[in-house]
Amino acid sequence: MRLFVAAELPENLQEALAETSARLRGAVKGRYVAPDSFHMTLAFLGEVDAGRIDAIADAVDVACQEFAAFEVGLGPLGSFGKRSSATLWQGLGEQGALPELAASVREGLRTRGFDFDEKSFKAHVTLMRKADLTSGALPMPTTGRGVVDRVTLFHSDLSGPRPVYEPLHTAELSQRES
Ligand code: ATP
Ligand code: MG
């Protein structure tokens, strides 16, 4: 199965990102990610035997025990890849503990024998794929701040017309003391 681990977005940030996506619609052609699929990938595992799901879930649980829920803030737009067919994303201005959380999840996976993509972590939410950025300016993204409090292991099903991400296991971060 194709698997990845991602931090989920709080509803208010999902809405803000959906608004950014709506602003892009008038300006950029490409394949839009459905707002209910927005997420922040922490570790991409790729093809993994289903029998290893419990070990991955354990790595996620252990990593999440170290972290309290934290606030993040949406930042500017950015892209990966060539300008005629780019992955367009909105970054995080304020990342909270997200880089440390990603490092901890990756380390836990590594110690359990998983071999996965070692690209350095870049906090972002993908809004479009195959975006044509060759013409015109990009709109201003919507900003906002919100609390990240859950990390989920997803199965990515790419067999249909749109990617479908099925949650297999979720770990909650502890609530912050106020
Ligand atoms: P599609 O590949 O059809 O465009 P998708 O990228 O949404 O769909 P996946 O390729 O399964 O679906 O990726 C799931 C998540 O993992 C996405 O957030 C994606 O950006 C990320 N991802 C995919 N491949 C890698 C990789 N090689 N390294 C890091 N992250 C990756
Ligand atoms: Mg992909």
Side-chain angles (χ1 to χ4, degrees):
M1 315 168 85
R2 189 178 175 93
L3 302 178
F4 67 100
V5 175
E8 296 202 45
L9 289 152
E11 205 171 294
N12 70 313
L13 291 189
Q14 193 168 346
E15 284 165 7
L17 289 155
E19 200 177 304
T20 298
S21 177
R23 289 183 192 178
L24 284 163
R25 277 192 192 260
V28 185
K29 286 195 176 61
R31 191 149 65 76
Y32 282 82
V33 176
D36 63 2
S37 290
F38 291 158
H39 63 268
M40 297 178 285
T41 302
L42 300 178
F44 178 74
L45 287 143
E47 278 302 319
V48 173
D49 198 278
R52 300 287 278 143
I53 287 173
D54 285 352
I56 301 167
D58 187 58
V60 169
D61 286 346
V62 169
C64 287
Q65 278 163 18
E66 298 169 35
F67 293 89
F70 56 87
E71 201 157 43
V72 297
L74 297 180
L77 295 174
S79 65
F80 298 136
K82 52 181 181 185
R83 294 188 61 73
S84 59
S85 183
T87 296
L88 181 64
W89 43 261
Q90 185 162 357
L92 294 188
E94 182 191 344
Q95 306 195 2
L98 204 65
E100 292 80 14
L101 181 58
S104 179
V105 168
R106 290 174 179 205
E107 184 55 29
L109 291 169
R110 229 175 268 123
T111 57
R112 286 167 183 75
F114 290 96
D115 170 33
F116 59 96
D117 199 282
E118 294 281 356
K119 256 182 271 172
S120 66
F121 177 71
K122 165 80 191 159
H124 70 281
V125 181
T126 297
L127 302 178
M128 295 185 71
R129 294 201 162 78
K130 300 193 189 311
D132 181 358
L133 305 179
T134 56
S135 57
L138 294 175
M140 283 299 290
T142 305
T143 58
R145 292 158 59 89
V147 175
V148 173
D149 64 3
R150 39 201 285 137
V151 174
T152 297
L153 167 62
F154 288 99
H155 166 222
S156 174
D157 179 0
L158 302 182
S159 64
R162 306 236 151 238
V164 175
Y165 308 136
E166 175 199 8
L168 300 178
H169 177 81
T170 295
E172 312 262 347
L173 305 184
S174 57
Q175 290 307 308
R176 290 176 300 168
E177 288 162 33
S178 48

